[in-house]
Amino acid sequence: MRNIIAILIFTISCSAFGQENPTDTDSLFNTIVSNTKTKLDRKTYSKSIIKEFHELELGENNWTAFRELYPNNKLKEKGIFLNGDYFGIWKTYDKNGNLISEINYLQPKKIRGSNLGFEKIFEKCKSKADQIIQSHFGQKNNFNLNASRSYWYSDNNSGTWFEKRSKKPKEFLLRYSYNVSDTLKYGVVELHFNSNLEFIQNKTKGLPKTKPFEFKIDYFKAKEIATSKRYGITNHKNAFKESEYLNLIFDKNNDCYKWIISDVPKTKWKGYENTNSGTITGIGKTLSINCSTGNVEESEFGGTIILN
């Protein structure tokens, strides 16, 4: 699961890009491309199609401005990836430069474009999933469908939520993220449906039995608690550095959500005899904050990496 340093990242993202609204995708795209630290990966494929990846690391976030060009050098598609996920508005054009489709991944919804196939089924599926989310987390909640991580599956094909489908899917996987902001999200819930849009309970992840589950400790309160206990102050840059950023997990055994963050200043190496293999063990502490009750616990950090 991706770990992000929350408010610092959000502040850096907005201020560095010189805008208050990070959903202004065109301005953000141009700023990524023109940034002096941006790295360009340009590839030419068969039929002279060109794809460009303008990559920029900012704090713990990886931004990529992507565009694809026709052989006549006209723009075919453009958009932004944030940590590997589609972000904001993505647009596609025909060979004459006319806009033919537009998808907003923040809402998420198709703004314009041709029929993707079985759209009413997809709308009904999302509606059912939204109702399940509301029943578990209340009418007003911070959860939103992550369309770029949600999939449909047919007999011999699959795709993300907005990819064209030629046959009725046999199964749907919808992933919902807990959103602190447009740029800070935690993917924690998975919902599965069969071809008849019946909910597949045994494949579900992240739904507490207590309904509605209330997040009394939000991200900002959790960050405040962690900082007061000296967590998140220093990133030690070792193999376990991602554990030193605030993260959200679902504790299935205790039927609750928790904010967790670790402090891992040291590591210990143990090699296997007569080999170059071994284990790296993190030495430190982990802070756990119950999102519902606010209970705080500290434990020994248990991370180990096996090197073969």
Side-chain angles (χ1 to χ4, degrees):
M1 189 178 292
R2 192 184 70 227
N3 297 289
I4 305 177
I5 193 170
I7 189 148
L8 178 61
I9 295 302
F10 182 69
T11 302
I12 290 176
S13 299
C14 294
S15 61
F17 288 137
Q19 57 182 37
E20 294 180 358
N21 181 9
T23 64
D24 182 357
T25 311
D26 286 335
S27 296
L28 185 55
F29 185 98
N30 293 334
T31 307
I32 294 172
V33 171
S34 62
N35 192 293
T36 56
K37 295 182 179 180
T38 297
K39 298 178 181 178
L40 171 61
D41 183 9
R42 181 182 173 99
K43 298 179 181 179
T44 302
Y45 295 83
S46 60
K47 300 182 181 179
S48 300
I49 292 176
I50 295 173
K51 294 184 180 182
E52 294 180 347
F53 300 84
H54 300 261
E55 302 169 356
L56 175 64
E57 289 189 13
L58 186 62
E60 287 302 305
N61 281 336
N62 295 311
W63 298 87
T64 300
F66 168 82
R67 61 184 166 198
E68 182 175 340
L69 305 175
Y70 287 107
N72 64 1
N73 213 36
K74 290 278 190 178
L75 181 62
K76 180 179 181 180
E77 184 178 19
K78 68 177 290 189
I80 294 172
F81 292 104
L82 171 59
N83 299 319
D85 284 353
Y86 288 81
F87 176 84
I89 295 176
W90 277 67
K91 300 176 181 179
T92 58
Y93 303 82
D94 64 20
K95 292 182 179 180
N96 296 317
N98 299 310
L99 180 65
I100 57 177
S101 74
E102 192 172 4
I103 293 172
N104 188 339
Y105 281 91
L106 292 176
Q107 293 186 350
K109 65 181 293 187
K110 184 183 71 174
I111 299 173
R112 70 177 73 190
S114 59
N115 194 302
L116 297 173
F118 303 96
E119 293 197 353
K120 289 186 177 181
I121 295 175
F122 276 73
E123 290 172 4
K124 189 175 181 180
C125 183
K126 182 179 181 302
S127 178
K128 284 195 169 188
D130 286 345
Q131 290 173 17
I132 292 172
I133 293 294
Q134 290 171 8
S135 70
H136 282 269
F137 301 104
Q139 289 290 326
K140 294 183 178 180
N141 58 71
N142 288 2
F143 287 87
N144 196 35
L145 178 69
N146 185 341
S148 66
R149 299 291 181 183
S150 297
Y151 298 91
W152 51 266
Y153 304 90
S154 59
D155 287 326
N156 55 7
N157 203 0
S158 64
T160 58
W161 196 252
F162 290 117
E163 286 189 83
K164 192 172 180 61
R165 41 266 175 178
S166 58
K167 292 184 178 180
K168 180 182 177 182
K170 297 188 68 174
E171 188 172 335
F172 301 85
L173 164 59
L174 291 86
R175 288 191 169 104
Y176 281 75
S177 298
Y178 180 88
N179 297 351
V180 177
S181 68
D182 288 342
T183 57
L184 182 56
K185 305 179 181 185
Y186 298 91
V188 286
V189 176
E190 289 188 6
L191 306 178
H192 293 254
F193 297 85
N194 63 22
S195 59
N196 296 321
L197 301 187
E198 296 169 332
F199 184 44
I200 306 175
Q201 183 72 45
N202 62 0
K203 288 188 176 183
T204 297
K205 295 181 181 180
L207 288 185
K209 296 176 182 177
T210 303
K211 295 193 297 185
F213 183 89
E214 185 178 355
F215 282 80
K216 294 181 180 178
I217 307 297
D218 63 9
Y219 168 80
F220 301 102
K221 182 61 178 177
K223 190 68 177 176
E224 182 182 313
I225 294 171
T227 302
S228 70
K229 295 184 175 293
R230 307 298 295 173
Y231 283 83
I233 302 299
T234 302
N235 185 311
H236 292 99
K237 306 295 182 183
N238 59 39
F240 303 96
K241 65 180 181 179
E242 288 191 354
S243 299
E244 298 189 327
Y245 299 113
L246 197 65
N247 197 10
L248 180 66
I249 66 167
F250 178 65
D251 183 348
K252 185 176 180 180
N253 293 331
N254 293 299
D255 192 44
C256 67
Y257 273 94
K258 294 179 178 179
W259 296 103
I260 61 169
I261 186 171
S262 298
D263 180 38
V264 194
K266 299 179 181 179
T267 60
K268 180 175 67 175
W269 164 259
K270 181 179 180 181
Y272 300 141
E273 189 174 356
N274 299 323
T275 71
N276 293 323
S277 302
T279 60
I280 301 174
T281 302
I283 301 174
K285 298 281 188 179
T286 295
L287 181 72
S288 172
I289 307 168
N290 189 304
C291 297
S292 179
T293 64
N295 289 344
V296 177
E297 296 180 356
E298 278 189 296
S299 60
E300 296 294 325
F301 180 75
T304 298
I305 298 173
I306 300 175
L307 300 177
N308 294 319

